Amino acid sequence: MSTAISSVALRVRGYHLDGYGHVNNARYLEFMEEGRWAFFDDHPRLINQLHKAGRAFVVVNLNIDYRAAAVQNDDLQIMTGIVDVGERSAICHHRIVRQDGVLVAQADLTFVLLDMKANKAAPIEGDVREVFEGLVVDKDAFLA
């Protein structure tokens, strides 16, 4: 797996479950957010450049493909990486895999960079763009 892809482990707990004994669909949003925080931890240069430029990472769209159920005590691996950088938005890909290798969910999250002073979306440019582009991976890299 590419070093540009972050991975974090998470154990499913009882409070993650719905009435059917499966992880509630909304909990996957939290799992993916945990993956993004790990991504920023693993790539401090990115978060430093965002702060330096006065930019914030803002989610504008999320498309999740639920593939298999996860249940209490399952150990999940949440993988996170950048798969595309455009002029004004970029795409972060998440892949959640159960300990037996089964794909539980995957998602594409579109984000923009918010100009903190102007309070509006800003172009992805300069040093921030350079860092993002250096982290871009193909989705196939999540399978390695």
Side-chain angles (χ1 to χ4, degrees):
M1 189 167 60
S2 168
T3 59
I5 296 174
S6 293
S7 180
V8 65
L10 186 142
R11 174 158 289 177
V12 175
R13 303 295 183 190
Y15 66 88
H16 294 133
L17 307 180
D18 60 19
Y20 302 108
H22 302 115
V23 172
N24 181 287
N25 67 303
R27 291 293 183 162
Y28 289 103
L29 300 172
E30 296 170 1
F31 296 173
M32 290 177 206
E33 185 168 8
E34 186 68 32
R36 288 191 301 281
W37 280 102
F39 183 83
F40 286 125
D41 287 346
D42 289 347
H43 304 289
R45 183 170 174 236
L46 174 59
I47 200 72
N48 290 337
Q49 286 298 333
L50 289 173
H51 286 148
K52 188 175 175 181
R55 302 293 186 258
F57 182 104
V58 178
V59 176
V60 295
N61 184 275
L62 177 63
N63 293 303
I64 302 174
D65 180 19
Y66 299 100
R67 303 294 301 270
V71 297
Q72 189 167 349
N73 294 324
D74 276 350
D75 289 315
L76 304 178
Q77 179 184 21
I78 297 101
M79 294 170 279
T80 303
I82 304 297
V83 294
D84 186 47
V85 178
E87 296 300 317
R88 299 189 67 82
S89 66
I91 298 173
C92 177
H93 183 70
H94 294 282
R95 187 172 177 86
I96 301 175
V97 178
R98 212 169 44 208
Q99 71 268 18
D100 60 3
V102 170
L103 176 63
V104 172
Q106 60 185 355
D108 285 325
L109 178 145
T110 303
F111 65 92
V112 298
L113 298 182
L114 180 71
D115 179 321
M116 298 297 288
K117 287 184 182 175
N119 197 33
K120 65 179 185 177
I124 302 172
E125 59 189 9
D127 292 339
V128 171
R129 181 176 197 79
E130 180 183 316
V131 175
F132 271 121
E133 287 179 341
L135 294 171
V136 171
V137 296
D138 191 88
K139 284 185 187 179
D140 290 340
F142 285 80
L143 304 174

